[in-house]
Amino acid sequence: MDTSWGIAVIGSGPAGFYVTGELFRQQSWEIKVDMFDRLPTPFGLVRGGVAPDHQKIKSVTKIYNRIAENPNFRFFGNVEFGSDLYQSDLLKHYDAVIYSVGSSSDRALGIPGEDLEGSHSATEFVGWYNGHPDFREYKFDLSVKNAFVIGMGNVALDVARILAKSPEELAATDITDYALEALRKSQIENIWLVGRRGPLQAAFTPVEVREFLELNDADVMLEGGSLELDEESQKILETEASKDTKKNIEILTQISLKKLSRKKKRVHFLFLASPLEISGDGKVEKISMVLNQLVKQDDGSLRPQATENKIEEDAGLIFRSIGYLGKPLADLPFDQKSGTIPNESGQVKDPENGNSLRNREYVAGWIKRGPSGVIGTNKQDAVETVHRMLETFLAEKMEAGQNVVLPDIVSLLESRKVDYVSFADWKLLDAHETEAGEAQGRPRLKLTSNTEMLKIIHQKR
Ligand code: NAP
């Protein structure tokens, strides 16, 4: 009996690679993985999301490259689920499918003026400076003086830091040329980070916030002066606060004590404030905010509650950075509120069908659990999904001893004239980008349009 099984993985970000790695670790049967991505390039947010000045984080791709070297692995880039390939195709060609498509949309604030010119999502800005093909054409008016970033997570810090860094600090990174050029001309003087809760509840992590103490071109300050915690937060700090939270408080205290040295720019940390309205004549000119107090909930958490105090500030650019959100996939159930595909330990379930479990469909990463955790969090998440799959579907099939030879996907893609990109093709593009980067002392010069990427691949094949 042939004991090899074919699994399709949709999405080539960290979650997709960690499930693939876990599948290849299985000794009892041979598993073949075909990974699909709608972009010609693999690695998802590692390429399109991780900040360009965080190159060390990107070295995680070495692990993914090793996984891709497995002879049972094939990559099909430039293949879009829902237009080039459908769920029904996958179920015909594979034993099971794992969706690891991440969270490509973002949450809105839902306040007046949010759609004015100059108000953007962090997702758009991050995609733009990282050369994600979907965002390369976006325009950001960096000729303004005041930028506001709403949210206190690591993405908000990335956006604020990229705005605050000097062109020299960014020049050695793989930020796209057009973004570097635009940032070189930036007139931004003030970058505000606005958190609706207090310093203790900040979602960022210590390594990331510490970087603000060392910016060449920007001073950093805590609005309101000294770091003061409300009584409940102080109690939490002294009792159950995590190591990271304690470190955050230490660093924020250092920020509050730091002397301002008249650098070109200034980063303002503003806690306990929520935007109420963005206003302006056709474009962003002002932001009004309400100051909050924290109120203890029945579950012990501290939530923001508006006070009577409001403030208004001049603003030219606003980035909302209040969390990513998953998008629905054709023929799969979807939970609008959490932006995830409903699942039980990674096995897709249909809430509209009595929560019945789908035996051949699984999820991993942010589309499974929502946009939380760091890259490494997806490793454990992948283990859970793969083991769930092995316990249910694959084990069942092994026992039954059935194994139908499934048709190869390549014929289908060719019949549909899909110009797919293999991993070897990507390596050609990768070499092209890194060689171009080396000439300028940079990690790589990214190509940002699918057409340009495919052109280089066709030339080099
Ligand atoms: P996040 O960590 O969930 O932070 C979201 C922030 O938005 C929180 O401060 C949250 O405040 C705030 N927020 C949510 N709804 C809001 C509203 N309606 N009004 C005002 N503020 C609101 O999300 P993220 O920054 O997008 O990051 C996503 C994940 O990627 C995180 O796990 C993050 O650590 C990770 N990441 C890591 C790195 C890194 O390691 N260097 C870099 C980037 C991203 P509340 O707490 O009050 O809800």
Side-chain angles (χ1 to χ4, degrees), residues 54 57 109 150-156 158 196-197 201 203 205 208 275 303 321-324 366 371-374:
H54 283 173
I57 298 183
L109 287 163
I150 314 300
M152 280 286 178
N154 281 326
V155 172
D158 281 348
R196 63 178 170 180
R197 296 195 286 159
Q201 292 78 30
T205 38
E208 282 63 33
R303 303 302 310 164
S321 180
I322 59 169
Y324 287 97
W366 282 3
S372 66
V374 292

Side-chain angles (χ1 to χ4, degrees), residues 130 239 452:
N130 274 327
T239 54
E452 278 173 46

Side-chain angles (χ1 to χ4, degrees), residues 448-461:
T448 60
S449 97
N450 289 353
T451 317
E452 278 173 46
M453 293 185 214
L454 293 171
K455 197 171 132 203
I456 293 293
I457 289 170
H458 288 155
Q459 274 172 10
K460 301 217 164 208
R461 247 183 204 156

Side-chain angles (χ1 to χ4, degrees), residues 342-388:
N343 68 91
E344 202 176 281
S345 305
Q347 185 173 7
V348 174
K349 69 176 180 187
D350 279 308
E352 283 177 15
N353 196 6
N355 276 336
S356 65
L357 291 164
R358 294 194 180 185
N359 261 356
R360 295 170 63 202
E361 289 173 282
Y362 297 82
V363 280
W366 282 3
I367 197 66
K368 168 187 175 187
R369 65 171 200 278
S372 66
V374 292
I375 290 172
T377 314
N378 293 299
K379 211 169 168 184
Q380 203 43 47
D381 177 291
V383 170
E384 182 190 56
T385 294
V386 167
H387 287 257
R388 175 71 174 215

